[in-house]
Amino acid sequence: MASEAASIAQGEWHPAGSSRSVPCRLVEDGGRLVVRDDARAELAGGSLSLVEISARVGRIPRRITFPDGSLFETGENDAVDRFLARKGRGRQGIVHWLEQFHPRLIAFVAATILLGVLVYRVALPALVELAVAVTPPIVPQIMSASTLETMDRTVLGPSKLDETIRSQILEGFRRIAAHSQGGEAAYTLNFREGGPVGPNAFALPDGTLILTDELVELAGGDTEMIVGVLAHEIGHVEHEHSLRQIYRAAGIAGLIMLFAGDIGSGAEDVLVQGSGLLALSYSRAAEAEADRHSVALMMRAGFDPTAIARFFELLETKLHDSSDTSIFSTHPGTPERRKAILDLVAAERRD
Amino acid sequence: MVLVEPLPAQSVGQGSFGRAAEGNVQRLSFTGSAGEYFGIWIVNILLTIITLGIYSAWAKVRRNRYFYGNTVLLGRGFEYHARGGQILIGRLIVFAYLVLYNVMLTFVPFVGIVLGVALLFLVPWLLTRGLRFSARVTSYRNVRFDFVGRAGGAFLAFIVGPVLAAITLGILAPLASRWTHRYIGSNLRYGGKSFSTNPSVGAIYRTWGISAAVIVLGLLIVGFIAFLNLAIVMTAVENPDLLPPEMQVSLGLLAALAYVLILAIFGTAALVYRAGVRNVAWSATTFDGKHRLLSDLSRPRYAWIAVSNFAVTLVTLGLMRPWAAVRMARYINEHTGVRFEASVGEIFSAIAQEGSAVGAEFMDMEGFDFGF
């Protein structure tokens, strides 16, 4: 052996695919990495570029795989790192360097928390906005058509409303729809019997509105109040609340899945439940936004903007709904919403 | 060349833990530390956020390499060989399907339902691919594991079993557990030699009985507390306005307490059951027809570690998660072992890879790894 062999590390060598092992030494010999046993016989060897050296993770043994498939294993991680550094491959250990238990990890913890908050507060809403912006109009149309069909088949029945009441409501509805961003053509109103849904009005994302007979009955001839409720529903459509909610839920689920292995299954469950509560808070904010929209639209159309507040009053007296907002509710508490609307109208009138 | 190693570790493990009567029992150990794992863990999370999730695949590799590498039997650790790229591709495929499925379910429910039913049949196949992948990227002493289960068995073990357990309110859960463990345990291979598992249903029912008792007893206590407060609850249901506000608050607290209590009861019962089934299934597993595996987790101790880990993780806002993970791994490993029926040195010098076990044809399908 002509060339000088520099010893790198002690370890054990396995022939390809075998669990037999041989105590041996890893040496550098004329630009080649070579494994030699105690008798200095060469067991395996290859040039550095053909040999695969596993990345360092903690103190677990390093794997060095030779072109013939045989494997050298050593616990002398530092020695292997020094060798790699001499060969100009020290940068391969950068992740391990970051991971070492060191005061800088405190900065990493802070950065992680900060970035986590930023992702939740900034990146997630931005992605939701982007997704809403690139969603083609056909998507909410298909979505709405299939939802209406499903509801018609399962819970809703044909409306039994009097023709005159119906045309009164339709007239008021056309007036506010004409003042909305999309204009009159963007909205269609459907009358249905609510059945298990009860007194209700809801909007599908393509501008289809559904009003139940039970709500009309509850209103007791106050058409303006019904129009106020419909203006609220138009608000949901204009702010694209349902699409946003879907994208948000998908985004949060995706985030939790990404960290599934790192946070443990118990913590994962808590996060899923917690994100459910946060989704409710988002839904409460959407209701408040739609309420404000109703006030603005009613004013523009020349109706009494407090009409929807009368509706909440009705809910309180007739349905005994005086519940407070809690973190478990989808809507803000009814008295709270009524007060918010009256305050807003008062402020608008002062200006 | 000396090809039969002296195996210094053999003498270390033998007769340790004061269990000489068990014969040549070799226990696993866990050599990782919470401090070391903390660094790996926080860097994993940080880089995953910075790279918008892409690093999560490499994060998984580093996490698994750390836990496998520190799982030590006879002085040698296990190895995890998966590459970040493979895992990323698998995740992208699964993610694309889930997006398609959810989009369809929202917008075209009919097509969504069809995709959902297809998923039901695709899942067993995906699970077998995932199990095979996980086995093939795991090695011990330079010899890889393999998994030879087929989709039919996975359908029975992972779809029929859980459904049956659910519709019988858990009464047939032991049967489902048996199918799952038999499917995994009997299709696992190491160096061309097979594992075989046949846990007895009776033994699983004994551990199930304890869990059922925990649930019944717990629910009786909750029911008794609810009964004591029945008058208040009834007033609240019939006439919420009559209750003074401070009463409403305490009622809310009571409801929250009941919720947590019921979660705790079912959680504890599930943990006790999981530990018991693991003991039964592992101890009913043999390798190469003669070497027996063994698991002797203490059910209360296991449940306590899991519950206290969870509480500590929550209270420290996740920062003690690495400590909790290492603590659990250490406990489980120390209560897992193999009883070798011959000289360990001879056994391992005879084991070699089956040529075809690790081909280049890895299906890069992962992501459905439920952590078996």
Side-chain angles (χ1 to χ4, degrees):
Chain A
M1 243 153 278
S3 59
E4 181 76 6
S7 173
I8 299 166
Q10 287 275 17
E12 287 186 35
W13 177 80
H14 292 281
S18 167
S19 69
R20 287 176 303 167
S21 68
V22 191
C24 60
R25 175 177 291 278
L26 181 72
V27 296
E28 192 192 4
D29 189 353
R32 290 171 77 238
L33 268 182
V34 175
V35 175
R36 292 219 179 110
D37 66 10
D38 295 342
R40 295 183 58 81
E42 180 173 324
L43 300 173
S47 66
L48 187 55
S49 57
L50 293 174
V51 170
E52 198 188 305
I53 302 175
S54 68
R56 181 169 181 178
V57 177
R59 280 169 302 176
I60 70 167
R62 220 48 173 282
R63 286 198 304 263
I64 296 167
T65 315
F66 289 93
D68 66 354
S70 70
L71 176 82
F72 173 79
E73 245 187 20
T74 179
E76 294 178 30
N77 276 303
D78 290 332
V80 176
D81 282 343
R82 278 195 299 275
F83 167 74
L84 286 175
R86 276 205 305 278
K87 294 287 161 192
R89 285 168 58 176
R91 287 183 58 206
Q92 286 174 0
I94 184 91
V95 177
H96 171 70
W97 180 81
L98 290 172
E99 288 168 351
Q100 278 162 18
F101 199 74
H102 188 272
R104 70 171 161 264
L105 289 185
I106 297 169
F108 290 178
V109 170
T112 303
I113 294 170
L114 186 72
L115 282 172
V117 171
L118 277 178
V119 164
Y120 185 76
R121 284 283 176 80
V122 181
L124 189 65
L127 277 176
V128 168
E129 290 309 310
L130 181 72
V132 168
V134 300
T135 302
I138 183 83
V139 171
Q141 277 164 25
I142 297 172
M143 188 168 137
S144 306
S146 63
T147 308
L148 185 59
E149 202 181 305
T150 314
M151 291 198 76
D152 270 343
R153 280 194 191 159
T154 51
V155 288
L156 300 178
S159 169
K160 296 186 181 70
L161 271 191
D162 196 69
E163 197 55 47
T164 47
I165 300 176
R166 213 189 276 209
S167 56
Q168 269 174 20
I169 296 172
L170 267 176
E171 194 202 334
F173 171 70
R174 291 210 182 97
R175 247 171 83 188
I176 45 160
H179 284 85
S180 72
Q181 272 170 32
E184 208 186 313
Y187 297 93
T188 44
L189 179 61
N190 296 281
F191 294 92
R192 292 285 190 278
E193 183 165 50
V197 178
N200 217 328
F202 45 90
L204 300 175
D206 70 338
T208 304
L209 270 63
I210 295 152
L211 179 66
T212 67
D213 294 358
E214 288 86 342
L215 191 129
V216 179
E217 266 164 48
L218 186 72
D222 188 346
T223 312
E224 200 174 36
M225 179 164 100
I226 296 171
V227 172
V229 173
L230 294 175
H232 167 97
E233 297 303 330
I234 287 178
H236 279 313
V237 178
E238 281 196 355
H239 292 286
E240 296 176 282
H241 283 147
S242 41
L243 266 187
R244 279 206 174 81
Q245 219 145 354
I246 291 169
Y247 287 133
R248 246 182 103 79
I252 292 175
L255 278 182
I256 295 173
M257 271 167 63
L258 271 186
F259 297 104
D262 283 314
I263 55 179
S265 59
E268 202 181 323
D269 292 343
V270 168
L271 276 186
V272 170
Q273 308 243 339
S275 76
L277 288 182
L278 288 169
L280 290 179
S281 95
Y282 181 75
S283 140
R284 288 195 299 271
E287 290 304 322
E289 195 172 24
D291 283 350
R292 289 196 295 275
H293 199 87
S294 164
V295 169
L297 213 50
M298 293 290 273
M299 276 180 136
R300 257 184 275 156
F303 283 111
D304 174 13
T306 61
I308 192 169
R310 292 209 295 279
F311 175 68
F312 292 135
E313 207 175 339
L314 204 63
L315 284 185
E316 281 173 57
T317 53
K318 283 205 180 168
L319 300 181
H320 305 291
D321 178 6
S322 56
S323 54
D324 287 338
T325 316
S326 77
I327 56 168
F328 299 109
S329 26
T330 55
H331 287 53
T334 307
E336 209 174 295
R337 287 172 77 180
R338 189 164 62 91
K339 188 175 172 299
I341 285 164
L342 295 177
D343 289 350
L344 179 65
V345 173
E348 291 275 336
R349 287 199 171 135
R350 236 180 289 127
D351 291 337
Chain B
M1 287 207 311
V2 184
L3 284 178
V4 180
E5 77 165 313
L7 265 174
Q10 185 188 353
S11 53
V12 178
Q14 192 162 18
S16 57
F17 298 90
R19 287 173 182 267
E22 284 183 5
N24 189 7
V25 171
Q26 302 290 340
R27 286 191 176 246
L28 269 64
S29 61
F30 188 77
T31 54
S33 77
E36 199 172 49
Y37 180 49
F38 183 86
I40 295 169
W41 175 81
I42 192 75
V43 171
N44 271 352
I45 293 181
L46 188 62
L47 290 182
T48 298
I49 296 177
I50 290 175
T51 59
L52 306 174
I54 295 166
Y55 187 78
S56 71
W58 282 265
K60 176 173 179 161
V61 169
R62 291 191 78 81
R63 179 175 69 246
N64 277 352
R65 282 194 64 199
Y66 188 75
F67 277 90
Y68 284 45
N70 281 308
T71 296
V72 173
L73 175 66
L74 292 159
R76 298 289 289 269
F78 286 73
E79 295 252 22
Y80 184 71
H81 299 262
R83 291 161 194 281
Q86 289 175 315
I87 292 177
L88 185 68
I89 292 171
R91 286 196 172 169
L92 288 177
I93 294 172
V94 171
F95 180 71
Y97 192 92
L98 284 180
V99 166
L100 183 73
Y101 168 60
N102 277 301
V103 165
M104 284 299 169
L105 202 61
T106 311
F107 301 134
V108 197
F110 177 71
V111 179
I113 289 165
V114 170
L115 281 179
V117 173
L119 198 65
L120 196 69
F121 289 94
L122 206 59
V123 161
W125 182 77
L126 281 173
L127 281 169
T128 57
R129 301 307 307 206
L131 285 168
R132 200 161 142 206
F133 180 86
S134 301
R136 287 185 171 189
V137 295
T138 304
S139 76
Y140 176 68
R141 297 178 62 95
N142 194 35
V143 171
R144 304 245 184 164
F145 286 82
D146 195 6
F147 184 80
V148 297
R150 308 183 70 94
F155 185 73
L156 187 71
F158 301 115
I159 307 279
V160 177
V163 167
L164 198 67
I167 57 177
T168 58
L169 298 174
I171 292 168
L172 291 184
L175 207 58
S177 303
R178 181 167 185 244
W179 289 342
T180 311
H181 282 279
R182 218 162 45 172
Y183 175 70
I184 296 175
S186 297
N187 287 310
L188 197 62
R189 300 287 180 270
Y190 175 73
K193 294 188 164 37
S194 55
F195 286 83
S196 164
T197 311
N198 203 0
S200 94
V201 183
I204 302 180
Y205 261 108
R206 276 195 286 282
T207 194
W208 178 88
I210 297 174
S211 293
V214 168
I215 291 175
V216 169
L217 203 69
L219 289 185
L220 278 179
I221 293 170
V222 172
F224 184 65
I225 297 171
F227 177 75
L228 288 184
N229 296 287
L230 198 61
I232 308 172
V233 176
M234 286 310 284
T235 337
V237 170
E238 280 170 4
N239 228 332
D241 299 339
L242 285 184
L243 280 182
E246 63 268 27
M247 211 59 148
Q248 285 186 10
V249 170
S250 67
L251 204 65
L253 279 178
L254 211 65
L257 193 73
Y259 180 71
V260 172
L261 209 61
I262 287 173
L263 274 190
I265 291 165
F266 279 93
T268 309
L271 288 169
V272 166
Y273 180 69
R274 195 193 293 170
V277 171
R278 184 185 194 271
N279 284 348
V280 172
W282 280 68
S283 303
T285 302
T286 54
F287 170 64
D288 201 13
K290 44 185 180 282
H291 315 294
R292 301 191 70 86
L293 268 55
L294 114 111
S295 166
D296 55 3
L297 298 171
S298 142
R299 281 171 291 207
R301 180 98 189 115
Y302 175 82
W304 160 248
I305 291 178
V307 169
S308 58
N309 271 355
F310 176 61
V312 168
T313 305
L314 270 197
V315 167
T316 58
L317 302 175
L319 285 180
M320 287 291 271
R321 164 69 195 158
W323 171 83
V326 165
R327 178 178 177 226
M328 186 49 111
R330 181 167 294 140
Y331 181 74
I332 289 180
N333 283 1
E334 283 171 0
H335 289 84
T336 304
V338 188
R339 182 189 178 126
F340 288 103
E341 287 302 325
S343 151
V344 176
E346 278 168 32
I347 295 167
F348 280 108
S349 60
I351 289 178
Q353 198 97 284
E354 275 206 324
S356 62
V358 189
E361 53 97 36
F362 268 138
M363 275 293 292
D364 291 337
M365 189 85 66
E366 208 256 356
F368 269 83
D369 179 1
F370 290 118
F372 294 113

